């Protein structure tokens, strides 16, 4: 959840505002031992409704949606195990990641966001049985839940208070993680999909300069990765736990920005790439890996650089997971923020436009530029499903014309693009129908529910349009995969097969296509590569045979396809699936064996040492922005790479040897 940031007046360490200095002095709560993974979660269904009587639901809950886990992706669509489109019509059930504002007693509701104290659990368990809350989700058309947690919650051994689970007494004496377990089980038991969301490091409200700005703020990268492996393994046997949303709203802290691809310890691209691969290879290969863009960089002061990059960096550097078909990108949008507006009022506020200030046409343009291009542009290295995992607006008490218009316009764009979405938040408190108002469902202290469709919430019509909008349904055919290789700062081996084998070029940076894909493109000096399974489909050798080529032994006599250049060529029946570099210099070519009859002979040389050479309408997109690139045609495969060691050359790739598929 984006909140108006605390006044940010730091200029790269030259001065720090008093408010920020106070934030920096806050002590982080100590980590606690985690609960054992095998501990059983309590059965709370039996206790549902046993301690309160509330108003009946406005309408019977619809039948659970019929879908078959696990989920994966095909191009821009999320599909179930049968290949049918599964649209994430989601909401955020917040609270387990914390509601405390960071000062004062955690027992005092006034010190929690909007006065709503979650008790370190999903909000509302003191006011309504979990079965009633979940029935409310189904009633308003939700099929999936983004369920935030904090790293501190995982290790917190303190039992929740009896009062915080008053409407679910079987949860008494449980730790927050055990309550989280129970909620996951009840959600998935009702047929809902659950996406685990690492929202914060500490159990407190997000998101300003609060110590939770990055995945490794206040904790080591190793601890963060270990916690993700723990959570993924914990729910591995529950097939309706479908995704891992890696971290929420990565943003600037007092001193520095996150980045996308610089290779340092603030590199969100590298961190999310690594932990995503680790989850798939070491914990649960069935999970979707959800990567959110960067939420904020720079100092929000007029005249100084600042922006909300969101997913714009993905166009030049996209993820390639070790398993194709598991990547989902996500982004957040609220009316009071903007592409260069932090959302602050007063200190930290700039003259930049907020999203609510744009006309419908302007809003469409900026949304497409910042996020929706990943689904709107097909056959690109960055093409993936887009999940708007947070958006929302005030309810009954929101009278601002701009705010209301923004919500209607944003819903229109979600419908127009057939986008997956998750509203923030689903659950809130009310007191005599007054309160924070952002939630779609509210409960008071006596357990009486105030719902979206009670007749006095202006959002109801737009919400009904959204959840009932026509969109793609049914079977989605497999599509060609386009994957970027980026060994910019180290190995980028995305083949499970090659990861399991010894180092095939020690000391060099190695890049390997995901299993089944072949190299089709390469850059001259940027070291980037492009892989695909276009035309041929997955090329898999059941024996897993490969050869590392470092010389011209496979160049046939009289078949010099790059005279005067050193040629690293695969033997007949093999294709380039990877390469290694030292600096910008080619070091070796990795040749994989294809099934018999899938590779043809005869070839052509594609030079790219003096300009781009990718054909008239190349697919895959610009995989090495600012560098010359060469690319084989869709019905070809790369069989070799040529370079020169002459004076003034860096031994960077100069040409590809492209041969026809069989």
């Amino acid at each position: 959840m984006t909140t108006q940031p605390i006044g940010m007046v730091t200029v790269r360490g030259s001065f720090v505002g008093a408010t920020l200095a106070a934030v920096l002095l806050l002590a982080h709560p100590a980590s606690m031992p985690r609960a054992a993974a095998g501990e059983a979660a309590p059965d709370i269904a039996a206790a549902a409704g046993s301690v309160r009587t509330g108003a009946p639901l406005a309408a019977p809950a619809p039948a659970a949606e019929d879908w078959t886990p696990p989920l994966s992706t095909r191009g821009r669509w999320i599909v179930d195990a049968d290949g049918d489109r599964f649209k994430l019509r989601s909401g955020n059930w917040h609270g387990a990641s914390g509601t405390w504002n960071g000062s004062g007693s955690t027992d005092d509701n006034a010190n929690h966001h909007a006065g709503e104290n979650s008790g370190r659990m999903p909000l509302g368990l003191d006011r309504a049985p979990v079965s009633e809350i979940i029935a409310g989700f189904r009633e308003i058309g939700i099929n999936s839940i983004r369920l935030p947690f904090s790293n501190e919650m995982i290790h917190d051994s303190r039992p929740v208070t009896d009062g915080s689970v008053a409407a679910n007494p079987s949860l008494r004496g449980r730790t927050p993680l055990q309550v989280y377990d129970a909620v996951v089980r009840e959600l998935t038991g009702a047929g809902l999909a659950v996406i685990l969301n690492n929202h914060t490091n500490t159990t407190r409200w997000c998101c300003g300069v609060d110590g939770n700005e990055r995945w490794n703020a206040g904790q080591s990268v190793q601890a963060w990765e270990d916690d993700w492996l723990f959570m993924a393994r914990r729910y591995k046997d529950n097939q309706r736990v479908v995704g891992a949303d890696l971290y929420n709203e990565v943003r600037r802290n007092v001193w520095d920005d996150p980045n996308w691809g610089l290779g340092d310890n603030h590199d969100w691209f590298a961190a999310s790439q690594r932990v995503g691969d680790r989850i798939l290879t070491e914990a649960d290969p069935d999970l979707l890996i959800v990567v959110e863009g960067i939420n904020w960089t720079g100092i929000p002061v007029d005249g100084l650089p600042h922006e909300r990059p969101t997913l714009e960096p993905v166009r030049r550097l996209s993820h390639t997971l070790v398993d194709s078909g598991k990547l989902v990108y996500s982004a957040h949008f609220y009316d009071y923020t903007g592409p260069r507006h932090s959302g602050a009022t007063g200190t930290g506020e700039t003259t930049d436009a907020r999203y609510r200030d744009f006309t419908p046409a302007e809003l469409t343009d900026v949304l497409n530029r910042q996020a929706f291009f990943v689904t709107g542009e097909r056959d690109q290295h960055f093409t993936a499903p887009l999940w708007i995992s947070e958006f929302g607006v005030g309810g009954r008490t929101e009278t601002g014309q701009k705010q209301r218009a923004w919500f209607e316009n944003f819903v229109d764009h979600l419908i127009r693009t057939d986008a997956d979405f998750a509203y923030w938040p689903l659950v809130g408190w009310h007191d005599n129908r007054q309160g924070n108002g952002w939630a779609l469902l509210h409960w008071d202290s006596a357990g009486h529910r105030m719902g979206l469709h009670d007749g006095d919430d202006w959002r109801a019509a737009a919400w009904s349009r959204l959840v009932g909008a026509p969109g793609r349904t049914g079977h989605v055919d497999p599509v060609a995969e386009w994957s970027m290789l980026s060994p910019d700062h180290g190995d980028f081996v995305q083949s499970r097969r090659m990861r399991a084998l010894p180092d095939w070029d020690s000391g060099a940076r190695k890049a390997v296509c995901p299993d089944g894909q072949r190299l089709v493109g390469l850059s001259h000096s940027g070291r980037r590569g492009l892989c695909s399974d276009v035309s041929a489909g997955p090329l898999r050798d059941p024996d897993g045979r490969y050869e590392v080529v470092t010389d011209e032994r496979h160049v046939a006599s009289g078949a010099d396809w790059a005279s005067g250049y050193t040629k690293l060529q695969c033997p007949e029946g093999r294709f380039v699936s990877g390469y290694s570099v030292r600096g910008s210099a080619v070091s070796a070519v990795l040749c994989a064996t294809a099934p018999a009859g899938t590779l043809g002979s005869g070839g052509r040389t594609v030079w790219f040492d003096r300009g781009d050479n990718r054909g008239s309408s190349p697919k895959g997109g610009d995989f090495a922005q600012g560098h010359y690139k060469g690319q084989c045609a869709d019905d070809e495969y790369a069989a070799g790479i040529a370079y020169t060691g002459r004076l003034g050359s860096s031994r960077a790739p100069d040409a590809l040897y492209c041969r026809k598929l069989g």
Side-chain angles (χ1 to χ4, degrees):
M1 171 66 177
T2 302
T3 58
Q4 296 179 359
I6 297 169
M8 190 181 292
V9 291
T10 293
V11 183
R12 195 76 173 173
S14 59
F15 63 100
V16 181
T19 305
L20 291 184
V23 170
L24 289 174
L25 291 173
L26 289 175
H28 293 283
S31 295
M32 304 286 184
R34 66 164 55 110
E39 286 185 312
D43 185 357
I44 56 181
S50 62
V51 296
R52 60 165 299 282
T53 57
L57 296 177
E65 187 170 341
D66 185 20
W67 60 285
T68 307
L71 301 182
S72 58
T73 70
R74 290 181 177 177
R76 65 137 295 174
W77 309 105
I78 296 173
V79 298
D80 72 0
D82 298 324
D84 294 330
R85 198 266 174 104
F86 184 84
K87 182 174 183 176
L88 293 175
R89 299 192 308 273
S90 318
N92 286 268
W93 190 1
H94 77 294
S97 59
T99 51
W100 180 55
N101 282 327
S103 63
S105 171
T106 57
D107 297 328
D108 187 346
N109 293 347
N111 296 326
H112 290 256
H113 178 74
E116 297 175 340
N117 184 350
S118 70
R120 300 172 288 141
M121 299 170 291
L123 188 68
L125 297 180
D126 59 328
R127 300 183 170 216
V130 70
S131 59
E132 180 182 315
I133 295 173
I134 293 172
F137 299 162
R138 291 175 52 199
E139 177 189 331
I140 61 175
I142 294 295
N143 67 4
S144 44
I145 297 295
R146 182 178 185 244
L147 196 62
F149 68 88
S150 73
N151 298 93
E152 183 186 3
M153 183 211 79
I154 298 172
H155 304 274
D156 192 345
S157 63
R158 297 169 297 160
V160 300
T161 65
D162 289 353
S164 66
V165 290
N168 296 275
S170 66
L171 295 177
R172 291 173 181 167
R174 300 287 174 165
T175 67
L177 179 58
Q178 290 169 334
V179 174
Y180 192 92
D181 290 339
V183 168
V184 168
R185 190 182 65 250
E186 294 299 318
L187 287 166
T188 56
L192 297 171
V194 171
I195 297 93
L196 310 174
N197 164 233
N198 187 190
H199 207 71
T200 53
N201 301 329
T202 60
T203 307
R204 59 169 292 183
W205 184 253
C206 172
C207 296
V209 183
D210 57 2
N212 292 305
E213 300 87 357
R214 296 191 314 275
W215 62 100
N216 57 349
Q219 64 180 0
S220 69
V221 172
Q222 185 66 49
W224 177 63
E225 292 184 358
D226 287 347
D227 281 350
W228 255 124
L229 296 180
F230 170 77
M231 291 293 278
R233 290 167 181 154
R234 190 174 185 87
Y235 304 108
K236 182 178 180 180
D237 293 334
N238 187 337
Q239 286 286 284
R240 290 186 187 268
V241 175
V242 299
D245 184 351
L246 300 181
Y247 203 72
N248 181 72
E249 296 189 6
V250 173
R251 57 199 181 275
R252 183 185 176 89
N253 63 6
V254 173
W255 304 110
D256 209 348
D257 289 323
N259 68 77
W260 193 274
L262 294 184
D264 59 17
N265 67 352
H266 290 184
D267 184 346
W268 175 229
F269 167 80
S272 54
Q273 172 76 43
R274 175 180 161 83
V275 79
D277 281 339
R278 289 198 69 193
I279 289 169
L280 292 173
T281 57
E282 300 177 40
D284 188 350
D286 289 334
L287 290 178
L288 296 174
I289 302 299
V290 181
V291 181
E292 186 181 335
I294 292 178
N295 191 258
W296 187 261
T297 62
I299 310 297
V301 175
D302 285 334
L304 296 177
H306 55 265
E307 65 173 331
R308 189 181 305 281
T310 317
L311 289 170
E312 291 184 67
V314 171
R315 186 178 290 279
R316 58 177 173 78
L317 179 59
S318 64
H319 292 76
T320 295
L321 296 174
V322 71
D323 292 328
S324 300
K326 287 299 180 182
L327 174 67
V328 175
Y329 282 120
S330 74
H332 296 175
F333 292 101
Y334 292 97
D335 72 275
Y336 57 85
T337 61
R340 298 189 69 247
H341 201 298
S342 69
T345 56
T347 303
E349 184 175 11
T350 62
T351 57
D352 303 294
R354 302 173 191 259
Y355 291 113
R356 67 187 180 216
D357 296 327
F358 294 115
T359 67
E362 291 170 337
L363 181 63
T364 294
D365 287 345
V366 74
L367 292 176
N368 289 340
R369 170 173 58 84
Q370 289 202 290
F372 286 80
F373 71 91
V374 301
T375 59
E377 299 179 32
R378 312 298 173 86
D379 290 320
Q380 306 293 302
H381 63 81
F382 52 74
T383 301
L386 171 66
W387 185 37
I388 303 301
S389 54
E390 284 188 27
F391 76 104
V393 71
R396 291 163 176 80
T397 59
E398 179 55 80
T399 59
Q401 292 183 352
K402 282 190 172 184
Q403 288 86 337
R404 289 191 173 200
W406 171 85
F407 187 71
E408 297 282 355
N409 293 333
F410 191 77
V411 165
D412 287 344
H413 196 63
L414 291 175
I415 293 171
R416 182 165 52 245
T417 56
D418 197 6
D420 300 73
F421 59 85
Y423 185 88
W424 181 286
L426 288 176
V427 177
W429 289 4
H430 81 95
D431 181 12
N432 195 26
R433 306 187 73 79
Q434 300 294 314
N436 182 23
W438 276 61
L440 299 181
L441 302 168
H442 297 80
W443 279 265
D444 69 11
S445 58
H448 301 123
R449 198 192 73 166
M450 178 175 70
L452 175 67
H453 296 300
D454 287 354
D456 59 346
D457 194 324
W458 66 272
R459 300 169 299 177
W463 179 260
S464 294
R465 283 194 298 116
L466 178 59
V467 297
R472 177 158 187 171
T473 59
H475 188 74
V476 177
D477 290 331
V479 299
E481 300 281 354
W482 297 90
S483 305
M484 174 188 282
L485 296 180
S486 53
D488 301 10
H489 307 289
D491 286 354
F492 202 81
V493 177
Q494 297 313 106
S495 162
R496 279 181 175 265
R497 178 178 296 163
M498 295 309 300
R499 285 182 172 219
L501 296 175
D503 189 340
W504 50 272
D505 192 0
S506 180
R509 300 194 311 283
K510 293 163 284 293
V512 185
C513 297
D515 292 329
Q517 296 187 31
R518 65 190 189 276
L519 188 75
V520 295
L522 198 61
S523 67
H524 174 56
S525 56
R527 301 177 292 275
R528 300 271 178 87
L530 181 68
C531 305
S532 187
D533 59 2
V534 64
S535 299
L539 290 175
R540 291 188 174 91
D541 174 22
D543 295 330
R545 291 170 293 168
Y546 71 94
E547 181 178 343
V548 179
V549 176
T550 59
D551 54 34
E552 296 189 346
R553 72 185 64 186
H554 297 301
V555 180
S557 177
D560 188 344
W561 50 271
S563 180
Y565 286 72
T566 301
K567 295 164 285 293
L568 307 183
Q569 181 178 331
C570 294
E572 294 292 326
R574 295 189 178 182
F575 61 93
V576 179
S577 65
Y579 56 92
S580 57
V581 293
R582 299 172 189 269
S584 295
V586 179
S587 178
V589 163
L590 182 68
C591 300
T593 304
T598 57
L599 302 183
S601 58
R604 66 187 180 102
T605 305
V606 175
W607 293 98
F608 51 94
D609 56 334
R610 299 180 183 178
D612 273 9
N613 190 358
R614 297 189 292 144
S616 58
S617 55
K619 298 174 184 175
D622 189 344
F623 59 91
Q625 193 174 66
H627 299 280
Y628 297 151
K629 296 165 285 291
Q631 187 169 329
C632 299
D634 288 356
D635 62 350
E636 295 177 327
Y637 67 96
I641 299 172
Y643 66 89
T644 179
R646 64 173 176 255
L647 186 66
S649 172
S650 62
R651 295 167 51 97
D654 292 310
L656 283 173
Y657 185 39
C658 298
R659 309 183 80 175
K660 288 285 187 179
L661 293 164

